[in-house]
Amino acid sequence: MLAYSGGLDTSVLIKYLQEKYNAQVITVTVDVGQGEDLEAAEEKAKKLGVLKHFSIDAKDEFAKDYIFPAIKANALYEGKYPISTSLSRPLIAAKMVEIAEKEGATGLVHGCTGRGNDQVRFDVTLGALAPEIKIIAPVREWGLTREEEIAYAKTKGIPVSGSAKKYSIDASVWGRAIECGLLEDASQAPPEDAYEWTVAPEKAPDKPEIVTIAFDDGVPVAVKGKKMPPLALIEEVNKIAGRNGVGRIDHIEDRIVGLKSREVYECPAATVILEAHKDLEKMVMTRHEVLFKQQIDAQWVFLAYAGLWVDPLKDDLDAFINKSQENVTGEVKLKLYKGSLQVIGRSSPNSLYDKNLANYNIKTSFNQSYSKGFIELWGLQTRMYNSLKRASKKPKAKKA
Ligand code: ARG
């Protein structure tokens, strides 16, 4: 049972499994919004002689059960990457297991190399969900270079697309990852043709676009006043942000296996929605909640990135995060302009910001005279320490 994308690596794998293992291959393509033609993938698999093929549209489930939790957790790996690839792996693995068990498959095969993160995500999740089925990772075993792979594909009559020669691409509705080729020179700007979902900022419209996003219990529910289900909402924000050149990310990333890699992403919707969500949280949560949750969020995104989606700690953190979202309801207004993104307003029925309390001009119920005593206690230890330090620096009195 092979997780099949229709791309170069996994097409080569069909032939490889047939030749080397003398295997009957079942392929499954899981649609997480990668924007590939599912029917074309199915046709290609069948042409390569698979026993059976399954196409699964998991886009709604992906949006609701994987992306929405990531929004609640403000998930940005190393502060930059919205884990658009990472999130899809445990879902694909779960679908593989579901079908493999039904079909009685004896091996679970993925096309990941031994250098990346995806092997970790697949192996850990598959191994946790179906310990009785063998996992096979031929590309890792094989150690073919990309050029050798392309050459092999040609001898087997597997079509190689132009972009496959240039970049290695992985996409989900949450974003598009572009690797390899010219991008490996981290000192050079990514070529314009690496991008497909975002226009170059300098080619974006000369007028800013204002977007409001409404949240209910921590998840987005409406865009520009229009209520939308999860998947449609994300697709809509992808379009809006993409046409304004918002969401390009150039990142030096620490992979799970220790390598540093230069990664280029375009994640238009993720960039906008995460920025809006974070802003709204700050308006409705207490300072203690905001600061504590930052630590929980960091742990959550690390687990999700590092292939530990099914670790119980992630569930534990989800329990905290879900509870913390009960007040995260309201609206955030953002300005998108030639690649830049700014929150320019927010409102919430649960706001802890009170403009009357913070006002400089009128008498409010905030009693300034309390501040003096508060500061006295707040700085108590700091003053003690500094006075000791001063005393120890004074020249010692000479002995007679
Ligand atoms: N570095 C990213 C991650 O680990 C993206 C990987 C993209 N995969 C690919 N085959 N291009 O999540």
Side-chain angles (χ1 to χ4, degrees), residues 81 85-86 89 117-118 121 168-170 177 179 253 263 265 305:
Y81 165 43
T85 291
S86 334
R89 294 334 192 207
N117 295 318
D118 287 335
R121 299 169 185 144
S168 162
I169 287 158
D170 182 78
E179 294 176 318
E253 184 169 304
E263 303 276 336
Y265 302 102
Y305 178 84

Side-chain angles (χ1 to χ4, degrees), residues 13 21 46 86 134 164 189 209 222 304 309 331 354 371 395 398:
L13 280 189
Y21 286 84
K46 288 192 169 151
S86 334
K134 190 177 169 199
E209 183 163 356
W309 184 263
E331 220 172 68
D354 179 342
S371 289
K398 275 194 193 129

Side-chain angles (χ1 to χ4, degrees), residues 16 24 37 42 61 117 128 190 255 265 279 286 291 382-383:
Y16 176 79
Q24 304 259 42
D37 183 346
E42 171 156 8
E61 188 180 346
N117 295 318
R255 290 190 184 166
Y265 302 102
D279 188 275
T286 66
L291 293 179
T382 311
R383 286 198 313 275

